[in-house]
Amino acid sequence: MSIKQALEEISGFRFMLEDLSILSPVGRRCLSESPFLTDKTEIEQALSEVELLKERLLSPEFKEPVTVMEVKLMQLRDIKGTLSSLSAKVQLTDIELFEIKNLALLAVHCRELGEQLNLSFLFVPDLEPVVDLLDPEGKRIPHFYIYDSYSPTLASLRAQIRHMAEKGYPEEEIESVRIQSVRLEDDIRTTLTAKLQEYASSLVVALNEMGHLDLLLAKAKQAIKMTLCKPSIVEEKTYFEGLFHPEVSTYLEEKGKRFQPVDVVLPQSPTVVTGANMAGKSVFLKSIALAQTLTQFGFFIPATSATVAPVKRIAIISGDGEDESRGLSSYASEMLKVNDIVLEAQKGTSMLVLIDELARTTNPVEGQAIVCGMLEFLVKENVRAVITTHYGIDMPVRKLRVKGFREERCTSGKVSVEHINDYIDYSLEETTARDVPHEAIRIAEIVGVNDEFLLHIKRHLKNNI
């Protein structure tokens, strides 16, 4: 999974990325190029780096060097193209030489600051020789031109041009000397380009290391701001305590409401989740998908604590909408996605499968059979999965039930649609029941649906029991 794919498939991922306080274009490029990590050691390393920077941000002792580091990173420009030209041995222009000098100066500062902050993971090469080469006068300022000190002959020619201009020499004579100086400047650029070849790879490393540092700082700041946790990486069962969805939570807070975090254990086998409409099952799946994705891109996650088992692929089927590009109905599109999961599972690909209301657009008899068949297959292939459903499932699989509407919380008359969520308990409980919860009609009554209409519904319900 790439960052681009995650943005398209994972609800709330774009919200998290747009919240990052990345200071430089290089940091943004590092984000877009971030790999989806599947190796336990690599994920732990990435999370430890964020944790270390979080500690530095929270420590008064390191406030000043962190602030200076941020100022330096704000000055970092992405000169990947210039470094490619250097590696290709293309003669550099004054602007490109300036870009390299500026990068080298920033690298020297960040290297020193990294040592002050004791950032053991940060490896910025020593680019003092590059600074010395491009700053022969030792002024250490982000500015470049072909200095007189590069060549006594050049200095002499420039002095001659000034003298001739002051004395009113003919322009043709001055131009003749100027051409000599320009040719000599070109020779110096060629020489500087050749000498910089030795440091081409170190400059690339420095650029990427500082961009990576920028991204890590943004992740650490976000972890503090949103009260995110560092997940432990395991190979067995995934567990989330106090799991929440930041985008939904922020939206609710703006409306004066509160998001109810949930706890859940996901073993290496499928889990069925039931619950009435409005019981938060869809948001629950989105929260799991987001937390798993963030973990494997090296982010802290929205939970109080967590252990996460890495997977090669996160497969999500939300069942919302048709595949218009292929002219497929929502059901046909869903079945193709299911088949893709089946084929991957048969290959032995480690997956986290999340399916919201599988086969809900077909008739209940076939829909129930499809859900049961899918669960049976996932059990056989030992796939970690969560499937929400309204169908009654009479199978020996793990079942969770969203507690849902709590009658005891409704102490007065009718409840408005705006406040119905205040009376729903989104926490999960283990259940062995075959039937799904029957709360739809009671909720309709509480929100004030027409009494005569409700009588018609109840009559049909009684006839079908």
Side-chain angles (χ1 to χ4, degrees):
M1 175 183 284
S2 65
I3 285 285
K4 182 179 178 181
Q5 288 173 311
L7 284 168
E8 293 171 353
E9 298 175 12
I10 308 299
S11 169
F13 191 61
R14 183 178 299 278
F15 177 85
M16 297 297 288
L17 297 197
E18 290 178 350
D19 177 76
L20 289 171
S21 301
I22 297 176
L23 302 172
S24 72
V26 192
R28 285 188 284 276
R29 173 168 61 80
C30 287
L31 172 62
S32 68
E33 295 174 353
S34 295
F36 183 72
L37 304 172
T38 57
D39 179 76
K40 180 177 183 288
T41 302
E42 289 182 354
I43 299 172
E44 288 175 335
Q45 174 62 29
L47 294 172
S48 294
E49 291 172 3
V50 177
E51 182 178 43
L52 180 56
L53 279 170
K54 179 184 173 185
E55 291 172 357
R56 297 296 181 263
L57 286 167
L58 292 172
S59 172
E61 176 188 353
F62 296 109
K63 183 177 180 180
E64 183 177 346
V66 166
T67 300
V68 175
M69 179 80 81
E70 290 176 328
V71 171
K72 296 301 178 185
L73 290 174
M74 289 173 68
Q75 300 168 23
L76 183 63
R77 297 293 174 260
D78 196 351
I79 63 167
K80 186 178 179 181
T82 295
L83 297 182
S84 295
S85 295
L86 176 62
S87 297
K89 300 182 179 181
V90 176
Q91 180 174 304
L92 301 176
T93 65
D94 285 2
I95 291 175
E96 290 170 325
L97 289 167
F98 158 73
E99 290 175 335
I100 290 175
K101 178 182 177 181
N102 188 53
L103 173 62
L105 285 168
L106 289 174
V108 169
H109 288 304
C110 285
R111 180 181 168 92
E112 294 170 353
L113 290 165
E115 291 173 355
Q116 289 179 41
L117 293 166
N118 194 22
L119 302 180
S120 55
F121 62 84
L122 185 66
F123 176 70
V124 177
D126 181 8
L127 295 181
E128 282 282 4
V130 174
V131 174
D132 292 339
L133 182 63
L134 299 178
D135 186 31
E137 297 181 356
K139 293 181 178 179
R140 293 301 193 261
I141 58 174
H143 168 74
F144 178 81
Y145 78 111
I146 302 299
Y147 299 91
D148 288 354
S149 52
Y150 280 129
S151 166
T153 303
L154 177 62
S156 176
L157 288 171
R158 285 174 172 172
Q160 185 178 347
I161 292 169
R162 289 191 296 271
H163 173 75
M164 294 172 74
E166 289 170 3
K167 297 299 182 181
Y169 278 62
E171 184 59 34
E172 308 87 66
E173 293 183 30
I174 297 175
E175 184 63 20
S176 175
V177 179
R178 185 178 291 118
I179 288 172
Q180 293 179 55
S181 71
V182 168
R183 286 174 179 167
L184 187 51
E185 288 173 2
D186 237 16
D187 291 342
I188 292 170
R189 291 187 190 93
T190 301
T191 301
L192 289 174
T193 300
K195 289 182 177 179
L196 286 170
Q197 296 290 322
E198 179 185 346
Y199 305 99
S201 59
S202 294
L203 286 162
V204 171
V205 170
L207 181 68
N208 292 331
E209 280 288 300
M210 288 188 284
H212 180 61
L213 175 61
D214 185 11
L215 176 57
L216 289 174
L217 270 169
K219 288 180 178 180
K221 285 186 235 176
Q222 184 181 73
I224 295 169
K225 173 186 171 185
M226 291 189 177
T227 318
L228 309 179
C229 81
K230 176 189 176 185
S232 298
I233 308 304
V234 298
E235 295 179 356
E236 302 81 34
K237 59 187 176 184
T238 292
Y239 170 66
F240 298 110
E241 179 181 352
L243 178 67
F244 67 98
H245 192 287
E247 185 172 14
V248 177
S249 178
T250 299
Y251 172 79
L252 290 175
E253 286 175 6
E254 290 172 353
K255 300 291 183 181
K257 299 178 181 180
R258 187 183 71 86
F259 186 98
Q260 181 183 332
V262 296
D263 302 342
V264 65
V265 176
L266 303 179
Q268 187 64 47
S269 59
T271 297
V272 176
V273 178
T274 62
N277 285 329
M278 300 190 302
K281 299 188 301 300
S282 296
V283 174
F284 169 63
L285 286 189
K286 291 174 182 177
S287 300
I288 294 174
L290 179 60
Q292 184 82 32
T293 303
L294 289 170
T295 297
Q296 294 194 230
F297 277 114
F299 286 73
F300 277 29
I301 66 173
T304 305
S305 65
T307 60
V308 177
V311 294
K312 298 287 186 184
R313 178 182 172 187
I314 302 171
I316 305 167
I317 301 178
S318 63
D320 50 356
E322 300 179 353
D323 189 339
E324 296 176 357
S325 64
R326 300 179 62 181
L328 296 173
S329 70
S330 57
Y331 173 73
S333 176
E334 181 182 51
M335 286 301 101
L336 287 177
K337 292 175 183 176
V338 166
N339 188 59
D340 181 51
I341 290 171
V342 167
L343 295 176
E344 284 294 314
Q346 288 177 330
K347 293 177 187 176
T349 303
S350 65
M351 290 188 290
L352 172 62
V353 174
L354 304 167
I355 306 179
D356 191 18
E357 301 291 351
L358 177 60
R360 66 180 172 183
T361 58
T362 189
N363 69 78
V365 175
E366 289 184 303
Q368 185 180 46
I370 290 168
V371 174
C372 290
M374 187 64 175
L375 286 167
E376 193 171 73
F377 174 81
L378 293 172
V379 168
K380 174 178 174 292
E381 298 296 334
N382 199 36
V383 175
R384 193 186 316 274
V386 181
I387 298 179
T388 67
T389 185
H390 278 301
Y391 299 129
I393 302 300
D394 190 15
M395 289 184 64
V397 295
R398 179 168 177 261
K399 299 175 188 175
L400 296 178
R401 175 186 184 277
V402 180
K403 290 183 178 179
F405 187 77
R406 312 310 287 173
E407 192 78 34
E408 66 274 12
R409 294 186 182 181
C410 182
T411 57
S412 60
K414 295 176 181 177
V415 176
S416 68
V417 174
E418 291 77 14
H419 296 95
I420 186 68
N421 288 346
D422 296 339
Y423 303 92
I424 295 176
D425 185 346
Y426 294 99
S427 57
L428 300 163
E429 59 185 0
E430 296 270 358
T431 180
T432 57
R434 176 186 183 280
D435 294 334
V436 296
H438 298 282
E439 298 176 337
I441 296 174
R442 178 57 184 142
I443 291 174
E445 287 178 331
I446 291 170
V447 299
V449 170
N450 180 270
D451 289 339
E452 182 180 352
F453 173 52
L454 286 172
L455 286 174
H456 286 285
I457 295 173
K458 291 177 181 178
R459 177 169 59 80
H460 281 281
L461 178 63
K462 184 176 180 181
N463 291 338
N464 291 331
I465 294 177

